[in-house]
Amino acid sequence: MSESETILVYDDDCGFCTWWADYFDERTALRIVGFSDLTDELRARLPDDYEDCSHLVTDDAVYSCGASIEEALTRTDVGGPVDDVVEFLRQFEDYERFRERGYRWVADNRDRWGRYLSKTPPARRGSDDG
């Protein structure tokens, strides 16, 4: 799987999640795939509880929840500043726990966040919406 074949899997029935998926689609070479469009092969690579969070799938790894967003951010065209911050934060023992707690807090409050950052999710678009 090349960089352009690295896949971000997300909840395509969530407006907040769709906003972020579009953000990454515009700024990375990631292929974006919603839960409703998973192939059997891709679903088999995900954890059983895959609908609990987003995932970034590469040739040799699957990053889930906060790790998926971190990996996606390091692949954006923002580049250096994000990479530097992530590299710095990874030095701290509690960073991974903090990252995952932060992800879970945002995910559990995505209805609130969706008031500010949201797009109509693909799973809710009418067939004639284009």
Side-chain angles (χ1 to χ4, degrees):
M1 191 176 292
S2 70
E3 178 67 26
S4 63
E5 296 169 346
T6 299
I7 302 167
L8 178 66
V9 178
Y10 79 105
D11 181 355
D12 59 348
D13 191 29
C14 163
F16 178 70
C17 307
T18 299
W19 187 92
W20 276 104
D22 285 354
Y23 175 89
F24 289 123
D25 193 35
E26 293 169 4
R27 291 168 177 81
T28 68
L30 297 172
R31 188 168 66 131
I32 310 297
V33 176
F35 291 160
S36 66
D37 291 327
L38 288 173
T39 62
D40 291 340
E41 179 184 358
L42 185 53
R43 185 178 290 114
R45 297 222 29 224
L46 300 176
D48 290 338
D49 58 352
Y50 73 88
E51 292 180 306
D52 287 348
C53 64
S54 63
H55 310 276
L56 190 124
V57 181
T58 68
D59 264 345
D60 55 358
V62 175
Y63 302 91
S64 297
C65 305
S68 71
I69 300 303
E70 176 186 88
E71 288 294 323
L73 282 169
T74 64
R75 289 166 166 80
T76 64
D77 58 11
V78 175
V82 171
D83 296 344
D84 294 343
V85 168
V86 168
E87 185 177 330
F88 174 75
L89 291 173
R90 285 179 176 168
Q91 297 176 64
F92 298 97
E93 185 177 319
D94 291 335
Y95 168 64
E96 184 177 327
R97 183 177 50 81
F98 176 76
R99 180 193 68 209
E100 296 308 316
R101 287 173 98 185
Y103 178 91
R104 183 53 36 210
W105 182 82
V106 170
D108 289 346
N109 291 284
R110 58 190 174 168
D111 287 342
R112 180 183 309 160
W113 290 106
R115 291 182 209 146
Y116 308 103
L117 303 173
S118 185
K119 288 191 174 182
T120 302
R124 295 186 191 184
R125 292 179 189 149
S127 60
D128 60 346
D129 285 350

